[in-house]
Amino acid sequence: CEAYVLSQRGEGWTVLKRQYDDGGFSGGNMDRPALRQLLADIDAGLVDIVVVYKVDRITRSLGDFARIVEVFDRRNVSFVSVTQAFNTTSSMGRLTLNVLLSFAQFEREVTSERIRDKITQSKAKGMWMGGMPPLGYDARDRKLQINAAEAAVVRHIFERYLALGSTRALAEELEREGYRSKAWETRAGRALGGRVLSRGAVIHILQSRVYVGEIVHRDKVHPGLHEPIIVR
């Protein structure tokens, strides 16, 4: 992009010292620090032309692009894609950009559908598709494996519910006896769980079909690959 701007020196173009690079952020939304800074600088009158390597580097959403173009128009800012030779100063350039972004958004939506289909198919096979595993299990290789110490807690919860017949009384008893929810650490190192088992958490455990060896996806129930903790 800098090389392209330098090639236009005869037109009076100069490269700004600030670079608006959102490396590591998805182009599928506008919640990106460098993009927000760019739009703020445009509103402040500091930018005349926005130069990108490819159109989908600034956004892959047609709706977001329309909002960005409104900001450009309001401040008479031109938009140039180096590798695609698009320029919003012409009506044909605007049309071509909109068509291109329509296809970019279509590709993004198709990819999302493929991911949803893959999750549906995997859950139909009884696989665990990620996220925090339930109390009583650990997740390894897309499969839930029984955690013996936690499984004992789960069985205790079911047994005490049968004895007490009240989720509120059970939650209060579990809190008095020091029972806690599953403690888990994400791949990013964030610690989750390890809290007092609320009445809602107790109800969720009692209603979960995972403990009888099943996997639920939307309104369908599939046999899981994991061993049950509770036998019906």
Side-chain angles (χ1 to χ4, degrees):
C1 290
E2 288 184 5
Y4 184 84
V5 172
L6 291 174
S7 73
Q8 302 296 313
R9 281 180 297 184
E11 300 295 328
W13 293 25
T14 57
V15 179
L16 295 178
K17 293 182 179 180
R18 181 192 294 274
Q19 292 187 348
Y20 304 90
D21 185 3
D22 272 321
F25 287 84
S26 170
N29 61 69
M30 295 179 63
D31 188 20
R32 289 137 53 199
L35 177 59
R36 290 198 298 267
Q37 184 63 54
L38 171 63
L39 297 177
D41 287 352
I42 288 174
D43 273 332
L46 303 178
V47 178
D48 296 312
I49 301 172
V50 175
V51 180
V52 298
Y53 174 68
K54 292 178 66 177
V55 175
D56 61 4
R57 296 302 87 195
I58 192 166
T59 181
R60 295 177 64 188
S61 166
L62 186 57
D64 290 345
F65 180 68
R67 287 189 285 273
I68 292 172
V69 168
E70 286 181 3
V71 176
F72 291 175
D73 288 344
R74 190 165 60 244
R75 292 296 181 178
N76 293 320
V77 171
S78 296
F79 175 69
V80 176
S81 171
V82 174
T83 60
Q84 294 156 325
F86 293 148
N87 191 323
T88 58
T89 56
S90 70
S91 58
M92 183 57 68
R94 289 176 183 273
L95 173 62
T96 309
L97 281 170
N98 278 294
V99 170
L100 179 64
L101 282 171
S102 294
F103 278 102
Q105 183 167 329
F106 171 73
E107 180 184 7
R108 183 163 168 250
E109 291 173 354
V110 168
T111 301
S112 297
E113 289 174 359
R114 288 174 179 168
I115 292 172
R116 287 194 296 269
D117 289 344
K118 182 178 179 181
I119 291 174
T120 299
Q121 293 170 6
S122 297
K123 286 199 171 185
K125 296 177 181 178
M127 299 172 66
W128 178 257
M129 293 307 295
M132 184 173 180
L135 181 69
Y137 290 100
D138 295 321
R140 293 188 184 91
D141 300 324
R142 299 293 184 188
K143 181 180 178 181
L144 293 176
Q145 297 185 354
I146 291 180
N147 179 312
E150 293 180 2
V153 175
V154 172
R155 294 189 188 98
H156 175 74
I157 291 173
F158 276 84
E159 290 168 358
R160 292 303 298 155
Y161 174 69
L162 291 176
L164 296 172
S166 167
T167 55
R168 188 178 301 280
L170 175 56
E172 292 172 354
E173 180 180 281
L174 293 172
E175 182 177 358
R176 286 195 306 270
E177 295 179 356
Y179 288 97
R180 295 293 183 268
S181 64
K182 185 178 185 68
W184 188 63
E185 187 175 291
T186 66
R187 291 182 180 179
R190 181 185 175 193
L192 300 175
R195 300 181 179 180
V196 171
L197 286 164
S198 65
R199 180 168 176 262
V202 170
I203 292 173
H204 178 74
I205 290 173
L206 294 172
Q207 292 180 340
S208 176
R209 303 183 73 100
V210 169
Y211 296 118
V212 294
E214 297 174 341
I215 292 289
V216 178
H217 181 59
R218 297 177 181 171
D219 59 343
K220 295 183 178 180
V221 179
H222 307 284
L225 297 177
H226 62 282
E227 297 181 25
I229 292 176
I230 304 299
V231 179
R232 289 185 291 184

